[in-house]
Amino acid sequence: MKEMDKALLTQLFQDKPIPGTVLEHFQTQLMAQIVANPVDFGKEKRIVELRKWGIGLVISLMVAGLAFGVFLWFERNIVFQGLNALWFMVSGLTYVSDLQQTGHVILEKLILLRELGTGLSLLWGVISWPIFGLVSVFVIFRSANQVQNEKPSI
């Protein structure tokens, strides 16, 4: 059995010369395809650079968002004091005091919605980063797969 397999393999992988006309025809078709669809290597390099910058941007946005969230979590009293100071500076303008009174009435009447808003904001705080990460990974790898899955035109 081994001798028969060995004989079949040697027969299968023997080098046989390719006829000259077939080789010339293949070569002319190949050159025609290359001339018809030239590869722009500069464009390919630019695409690679754009992907690198995009990944860097996504990582920097995630780090900045996380740092800002940590800052808001631990230093929220400073942020709220700053926002109150800004509110008092703006409240001296005309019509702002009317808007402020209307806002206080609405907030007093919507205690239930305030609690619902707090719950939704906490839920969004827990869910938003994994969703953002999944979308980012999907976009990056989908664009990479589209480049890899292109069928050659030959």
Side-chain angles (χ1 to χ4, degrees), residues 72-132:
L72 286 179
W73 182 261
F74 290 112
E75 302 297 330
R76 60 184 171 265
N77 292 333
I78 296 171
V79 174
F80 289 144
Q81 288 174 0
L83 289 175
N84 281 335
L86 180 67
W87 183 255
F88 286 122
M89 285 190 292
V90 173
S91 66
L93 300 174
T94 56
Y95 301 121
V96 174
S97 60
D98 295 335
L99 288 174
Q100 185 178 11
Q101 289 174 355
T102 306
H104 282 295
V105 169
I106 290 172
L107 286 177
E108 288 173 1
K109 291 183 179 179
L110 299 177
I111 293 173
L112 177 64
L113 289 180
R114 185 184 320 159
E115 295 298 324
L116 182 65
T118 304
L120 286 176
S121 68
L122 290 174
L123 182 66
W124 179 248
V126 170
I127 294 176
S128 64
W129 285 108
I131 289 174
F132 183 65

Coordinates of all heavy atoms in Angstrom, one line a residue, residues 72-132:
L72 N -14.9 63.3 37.7 CA -16.3 63.7 38.1 C -16.7 62.9 39.3 O -17.5 63.4 40.2 CB -17.3 63.5 37.0 CG -17.2 64.5 35.9 CD1 -18.3 64.2 34.8 CD2 -17.4 65.9 36.4
W73 N -16.3 61.6 39.4 CA -16.7 60.8 40.5 C -16.1 61.2 41.8 O -16.8 61.4 42.8 CB -16.3 59.3 40.2 CG -16.8 58.4 41.3 CD1 -16.0 57.9 42.3 CD2 -18.1 57.9 41.5 NE1 -16.8 57.1 43.1 CE2 -18.0 57.0 42.6 CE3 -19.3 58.0 40.8 CZ2 -19.1 56.3 43.1 CZ3 -20.4 57.3 41.2 CH2 -20.3 56.5 42.4
F74 N -14.8 61.5 41.8 CA -14.1 61.9 43.1 C -14.1 63.4 43.4 O -14.1 63.7 44.6 CB -12.6 61.4 43.0 CG -12.5 59.9 43.1 CD1 -12.1 59.2 42.0 CD2 -12.9 59.2 44.2 CE1 -12.0 57.8 42.0 CE2 -12.8 57.8 44.3 CZ -12.3 57.1 43.2
E75 N -14.2 64.2 42.4 CA -14.2 65.7 42.6 C -15.5 66.3 42.2 O -15.5 67.5 41.8 CB -13.0 66.3 41.9 CG -11.7 65.7 42.2 CD -11.3 66.0 43.6 OE1 -11.7 67.0 44.2 OE2 -10.5 65.2 44.2
R76 N -16.6 65.6 42.4 CA -17.9 66.2 42.0 C -18.3 67.4 42.8 O -19.0 68.3 42.3 CB -19.0 65.1 42.0 CG -19.3 64.5 43.4 CD -20.3 63.4 43.3 NE -20.4 62.7 44.5 CZ -19.8 61.5 44.8 NH1 -19.0 61.0 43.9 NH2 -19.9 60.9 45.9
N77 N -17.9 67.6 44.0 CA -18.2 68.7 44.8 C -17.6 70.0 44.2 O -18.2 71.0 44.1 CB -17.7 68.6 46.2 CG -18.5 67.5 47.0 OD1 -19.6 67.3 46.6 ND2 -17.9 66.9 48.0
I78 N -16.3 69.9 43.7 CA -15.7 71.0 43.0 C -16.4 71.4 41.8 O -16.7 72.5 41.5 CB -14.2 70.7 42.8 CG1 -13.5 70.5 44.1 CG2 -13.6 71.8 41.9 CD1 -12.0 70.0 43.9
V79 N -16.8 70.4 41.0 CA -17.5 70.6 39.7 C -18.9 71.2 40.0 O -19.3 72.2 39.3 CB -17.7 69.3 39.0 CG1 -18.6 69.5 37.7 CG2 -16.3 68.7 38.6
F80 N -19.6 70.8 41.0 CA -20.9 71.3 41.3 C -20.8 72.8 41.8 O -21.6 73.6 41.5 CB -21.6 70.5 42.3 CG -22.1 69.2 41.8 CD1 -22.1 68.0 42.6 CD2 -22.6 69.0 40.5 CE1 -22.5 66.8 42.0 CE2 -23.0 67.8 40.0 CZ -23.0 66.7 40.7
Q81 N -19.7 73.1 42.6 CA -19.5 74.4 43.0 C -19.2 75.4 41.9 O -19.8 76.5 41.8 CB -18.4 74.5 44.0 CG -18.7 73.9 45.4 CD -17.5 73.8 46.3 OE1 -16.4 74.2 45.9 NE2 -17.7 73.3 47.5
G82 N -18.5 74.9 40.9 CA -18.2 75.7 39.7 C -19.4 75.9 38.9 O -19.6 77.0 38.4
L83 N -20.2 74.9 38.7 CA -21.5 75.0 38.0 C -22.4 76.0 38.7 O -23.1 76.8 38.0 CB -22.2 73.7 37.8 CG -21.4 72.7 36.8 CD1 -22.1 71.4 36.7 CD2 -21.4 73.3 35.4
N84 N -22.5 75.9 40.0 CA -23.3 76.9 40.8 C -22.9 78.3 40.6 O -23.7 79.2 40.4 CB -23.4 76.5 42.2 CG -24.3 75.3 42.5 OD1 -25.3 75.1 41.7 ND2 -24.1 74.6 43.6
A85 N -21.5 78.5 40.6 CA -21.0 79.8 40.4 C -21.3 80.4 39.0 O -21.7 81.5 38.9 CB -19.5 79.8 40.7
L86 N -21.2 79.5 38.0 CA -21.6 79.9 36.7 C -23.0 80.2 36.6 O -23.4 81.2 35.9 CB -21.2 78.7 35.7 CG -21.5 79.0 34.3 CD1 -20.6 80.1 33.7 CD2 -21.3 77.7 33.5
W87 N -23.9 79.4 37.3 CA -25.3 79.7 37.2 C -25.7 81.0 37.9 O -26.5 81.8 37.3 CB -26.0 78.5 38.0 CG -27.5 78.7 37.9 CD1 -28.3 79.0 39.0 CD2 -28.4 78.5 36.8 NE1 -29.6 79.1 38.6 CE2 -29.7 78.7 37.2 CE3 -28.1 78.1 35.5 CZ2 -30.8 78.6 36.4 CZ3 -29.2 78.0 34.7 CH2 -30.5 78.2 35.1
F88 N -25.0 81.4 39.0 CA -25.3 82.7 39.6 C -24.7 83.8 38.8 O -25.3 84.9 38.7 CB -24.6 82.7 41.0 CG -25.4 81.9 42.0 CD1 -24.8 80.9 42.7 CD2 -26.8 82.1 42.2 CE1 -25.5 80.2 43.6 CE2 -27.5 81.4 43.1 CZ -26.8 80.4 43.9
M89 N -23.7 83.6 38.0 CA -23.2 84.7 37.1 C -24.2 84.9 36.0 O -24.4 86.0 35.6 CB -21.8 84.3 36.6 CG -20.7 84.5 37.6 SD -19.0 84.3 36.8 CE -19.0 82.6 36.4
V90 N -24.7 83.8 35.5 CA -25.7 83.9 34.4 C -27.0 84.4 34.8 O -27.8 85.1 34.1 CB -25.8 82.6 33.6 CG1 -26.8 82.6 32.6 CG2 -24.4 82.2 33.0
S91 N -27.4 84.2 36.1 CA -28.7 84.5 36.6 C -28.9 86.0 36.6 O -30.1 86.4 36.8 CB -28.9 83.8 37.9 OG -28.1 84.4 38.9
G92 N -27.9 86.8 36.6 CA -28.1 88.2 36.6 C -28.7 88.8 35.2 O -29.2 89.9 35.2
L93 N -28.6 88.0 34.2 CA -29.1 88.4 32.9 C -30.6 88.4 32.9 O -31.3 87.8 33.7 CB -28.6 87.5 31.8 CG -27.1 87.4 31.6 CD1 -26.7 86.3 30.6 CD2 -26.5 88.7 31.2
T94 N -31.2 89.2 32.0 CA -32.7 89.2 31.9 C -33.2 87.9 31.5 O -32.6 87.1 31.1 CB -33.1 90.3 30.9 OG1 -32.5 89.9 29.6 CG2 -32.7 91.7 31.2
Y95 N -34.4 87.5 31.7 CA -35.1 86.3 31.3 C -34.5 85.0 32.0 O -35.1 84.0 32.0 CB -35.1 86.1 29.8 CG -35.8 87.2 29.1 CD1 -35.2 87.9 28.1 CD2 -37.1 87.5 29.4 CE1 -35.8 88.9 27.4 CE2 -37.8 88.5 28.7 CZ -37.1 89.3 27.8 OH -37.7 90.3 27.1
V96 N -33.2 85.0 32.4 CA -32.7 83.8 33.0 C -33.3 83.5 34.4 O -33.6 82.4 34.7 CB -31.1 84.0 33.2 CG1 -30.5 82.8 33.9 CG2 -30.5 84.1 31.8
S97 N -33.7 84.6 35.1 CA -34.4 84.3 36.4 C -35.7 83.7 36.2 O -36.2 82.8 36.9 CB -34.5 85.6 37.2 OG -35.3 86.5 36.5
D98 N -36.4 84.1 35.1 CA -37.7 83.5 34.8 C -37.5 82.0 34.4 O -38.3 81.1 34.8 CB -38.4 84.2 33.6 CG -38.8 85.6 34.0 OD1 -39.0 85.9 35.2 OD2 -38.9 86.5 33.1
L99 N -36.5 81.7 33.6 CA -36.2 80.3 33.3 C -35.8 79.5 34.5 O -36.2 78.4 34.6 CB -35.1 80.3 32.2 CG -35.5 80.8 30.8 CD1 -34.2 80.8 29.9 CD2 -36.5 79.9 30.2
Q100 N -35.1 80.2 35.4 CA -34.7 79.5 36.6 C -35.9 79.1 37.5 O -36.0 78.0 38.0 CB -33.7 80.4 37.4 CG -33.1 79.7 38.6 CD -32.1 80.6 39.3 OE1 -32.0 81.8 39.0 NE2 -31.4 80.1 40.3
Q101 N -36.8 80.0 37.6 CA -38.0 79.7 38.4 C -38.8 78.6 37.7 O -39.3 77.7 38.4 CB -38.9 81.0 38.6 CG -38.2 82.0 39.5 CD -39.0 83.3 39.5 OE1 -40.0 83.5 38.8 NE2 -38.6 84.2 40.4
T102 N -39.0 78.7 36.4 CA -39.7 77.6 35.7 C -39.0 76.3 35.9 O -39.7 75.3 36.1 CB -39.8 78.0 34.2 OG1 -40.4 79.3 34.1 CG2 -40.7 77.0 33.5
G103 N -37.7 76.3 35.8 CA -37.0 75.0 36.0 C -37.2 74.5 37.4 O -37.3 73.3 37.5
H104 N -37.2 75.3 38.4 CA -37.4 74.8 39.8 C -38.8 74.2 39.9 O -38.9 73.2 40.6 CB -37.2 76.0 40.8 CG -35.7 76.3 41.1 ND1 -34.9 75.4 41.6 CD2 -35.0 77.4 40.8 CE1 -33.7 75.9 41.8 NE2 -33.7 77.1 41.2
V105 N -39.8 74.8 39.3 CA -41.1 74.3 39.4 C -41.2 72.9 38.7 O -41.8 72.0 39.3 CB -42.2 75.3 38.8 CG1 -43.5 74.6 38.6 CG2 -42.3 76.5 39.6
I106 N -40.6 72.8 37.6 CA -40.6 71.6 36.9 C -39.9 70.5 37.7 O -40.4 69.4 37.8 CB -40.0 71.7 35.5 CG1 -40.9 72.6 34.6 CG2 -39.7 70.4 34.8 CD1 -40.4 73.0 33.2
L107 N -38.7 70.8 38.2 CA -38.0 69.9 39.0 C -38.7 69.4 40.3 O -38.6 68.2 40.7 CB -36.6 70.4 39.4 CG -35.6 70.5 38.2 CD1 -34.3 71.1 38.7 CD2 -35.3 69.1 37.6
E108 N -39.4 70.3 40.9 CA -40.2 69.9 42.1 C -41.3 69.0 41.8 O -41.6 68.1 42.5 CB -40.7 71.2 42.8 CG -39.7 72.0 43.5 CD -40.2 73.3 44.0 OE1 -41.4 73.6 43.8 OE2 -39.4 74.1 44.6
K109 N -41.9 69.2 40.6 CA -43.0 68.3 40.2 C -42.6 67.0 39.6 O -43.4 66.0 39.5 CB -43.9 69.0 39.2 CG -44.7 70.2 39.8 CD -45.6 70.9 38.8 CE -46.3 72.0 39.5 NZ -47.2 72.7 38.6
L110 N -41.3 66.9 39.2 CA -40.9 65.6 38.6 C -39.9 64.9 39.4 O -38.8 64.4 38.9 CB -40.3 66.0 37.2 CG -41.3 66.7 36.2 CD1 -40.6 67.0 34.9 CD2 -42.5 65.8 35.9
I111 N -40.1 64.7 40.6 CA -39.2 63.9 41.5 C -39.1 62.5 41.0 O -38.0 61.9 41.0 CB -39.7 64.0 43.0 CG1 -39.6 65.4 43.5 CG2 -38.9 63.0 43.8 CD1 -40.2 65.6 44.9
L112 N -40.2 61.9 40.6 CA -40.1 60.5 40.1 C -39.3 60.4 38.9 O -38.5 59.5 38.7 CB -41.5 60.0 39.8 CG -41.6 58.6 39.2 CD1 -41.1 57.6 40.2 CD2 -43.1 58.3 38.8
L113 N -39.4 61.4 38.0 CA -38.6 61.3 36.7 C -37.2 61.6 37.0 O -36.3 61.1 36.3 CB -39.2 62.3 35.7 CG -40.5 62.0 35.1 CD1 -40.9 63.0 34.1 CD2 -40.4 60.6 34.4
R114 N -36.9 62.4 38.1 CA -35.5 62.6 38.5 C -34.9 61.3 38.9 O -33.7 61.0 38.5 CB -35.4 63.7 39.6 CG -34.0 64.0 39.9 CD -33.9 65.0 41.1 NE -34.9 66.0 41.1 CZ -35.3 66.7 42.2 NH1 -34.7 66.4 43.3 NH2 -36.2 67.6 42.1
E115 N -35.6 60.6 39.7 CA -35.1 59.3 40.1 C -34.9 58.3 38.9 O -33.9 57.6 38.9 CB -36.0 58.6 41.2 CG -36.1 59.4 42.5 CD -34.7 59.5 43.2 OE1 -33.9 58.5 43.1 OE2 -34.4 60.5 43.7
L116 N -35.8 58.4 38.0 CA -35.7 57.5 36.8 C -34.5 58.0 36.0 O -33.8 57.1 35.5 CB -37.0 57.6 36.0 CG -37.1 56.8 34.7 CD1 -37.1 55.3 35.1 CD2 -38.3 57.1 34.0
G117 N -34.3 59.3 35.9 CA -33.1 59.8 35.2 C -31.8 59.4 35.8 O -30.9 59.0 35.1
T118 N -31.8 59.4 37.2 CA -30.6 58.9 37.9 C -30.4 57.4 37.6 O -29.2 57.0 37.3 CB -30.8 59.1 39.4 OG1 -31.1 60.5 39.6 CG2 -29.6 58.7 40.1
G119 N -31.4 56.7 37.6 CA -31.3 55.2 37.3 C -30.8 55.0 35.9 O -29.9 54.2 35.7
L120 N -31.4 55.7 35.0 CA -30.9 55.6 33.6 C -29.5 56.0 33.4 O -28.7 55.4 32.6 CB -31.9 56.3 32.6 CG -33.2 55.7 32.4 CD1 -34.1 56.6 31.6 CD2 -33.1 54.3 31.8
S121 N -29.1 57.1 34.0 CA -27.7 57.6 33.9 C -26.7 56.6 34.5 O -25.7 56.3 33.9 CB -27.5 58.9 34.5 OG -27.7 58.9 35.9
L122 N -27.1 56.0 35.6 CA -26.2 54.9 36.2 C -26.2 53.7 35.3 O -25.1 53.1 35.1 CB -26.7 54.5 37.6 CG -26.6 55.5 38.7 CD1 -27.2 55.1 40.0 CD2 -25.1 55.8 38.9
L123 N -27.3 53.3 34.7 CA -27.3 52.2 33.8 C -26.5 52.5 32.5 O -25.7 51.7 32.1 CB -28.8 51.8 33.4 CG -28.9 50.7 32.4 CD1 -28.5 49.4 33.2 CD2 -30.3 50.5 32.0
W124 N -26.6 53.7 32.0 CA -25.8 54.1 30.8 C -24.4 54.2 31.2 O -23.5 53.8 30.4 CB -26.3 55.4 30.3 CG -25.5 55.9 29.1 CD1 -24.7 56.9 29.1 CD2 -25.5 55.3 27.8 NE1 -24.1 57.0 27.8 CE2 -24.6 56.0 27.0 CE3 -26.1 54.2 27.3 CZ2 -24.3 55.7 25.7 CZ3 -25.8 53.8 26.0 CH2 -25.0 54.6 25.2
G125 N -24.0 54.6 32.4 CA -22.6 54.6 32.8 C -22.0 53.2 32.8 O -20.8 53.0 32.6
V126 N -22.8 52.2 33.2 CA -22.3 50.9 33.2 C -22.2 50.3 31.8 O -21.3 49.5 31.5 CB -23.2 50.0 34.1 CG1 -22.9 48.5 34.0 CG2 -23.1 50.5 35.6
I127 N -23.2 50.6 31.0 CA -23.3 49.9 29.7 C -22.5 50.6 28.6 O -22.1 50.0 27.6 CB -24.8 49.8 29.3 CG1 -25.5 48.8 30.3 CG2 -25.0 49.3 27.9 CD1 -27.0 48.7 30.0
S128 N -22.3 51.9 28.7 CA -21.8 52.7 27.5 C -20.4 52.3 27.1 O -20.2 52.2 25.9 CB -21.9 54.2 27.8 OG -21.0 54.5 28.9
W129 N -19.5 52.1 28.0 CA -18.1 51.7 27.7 C -18.0 50.4 27.0 O -17.3 50.3 25.9 CB -17.2 51.8 28.9 CG -16.9 53.3 29.2 CD1 -17.4 53.9 30.3 CD2 -16.2 54.2 28.5 NE1 -17.0 55.2 30.2 CE2 -16.2 55.4 29.1 CE3 -15.5 54.1 27.3 CZ2 -15.6 56.6 28.7 CZ3 -14.8 55.3 26.8 CH2 -14.9 56.5 27.5
P130 N -18.7 49.3 27.5 CA -18.6 48.1 26.7 C -19.2 48.2 25.3 O -18.7 47.6 24.4 CB -19.4 47.1 27.6 CG -19.3 47.6 28.9 CD -19.3 49.1 28.8
I131 N -20.3 49.0 25.2 CA -20.9 49.1 23.9 C -20.0 49.9 23.0 O -19.8 49.5 21.8 CB -22.3 49.9 24.0 CG1 -23.3 49.0 24.6 CG2 -22.8 50.4 22.6 CD1 -24.7 49.7 24.9
F132 N -19.4 50.9 23.5 CA -18.4 51.7 22.7 C -17.2 50.8 22.3 O -16.8 50.9 21.1 CB -17.9 52.9 23.5 CG -17.0 53.8 22.7 CD1 -17.4 54.5 21.6 CD2 -15.7 53.9 23.2 CE1 -16.5 55.3 20.9 CE2 -14.8 54.7 22.5 CZ -15.2 55.5 21.4

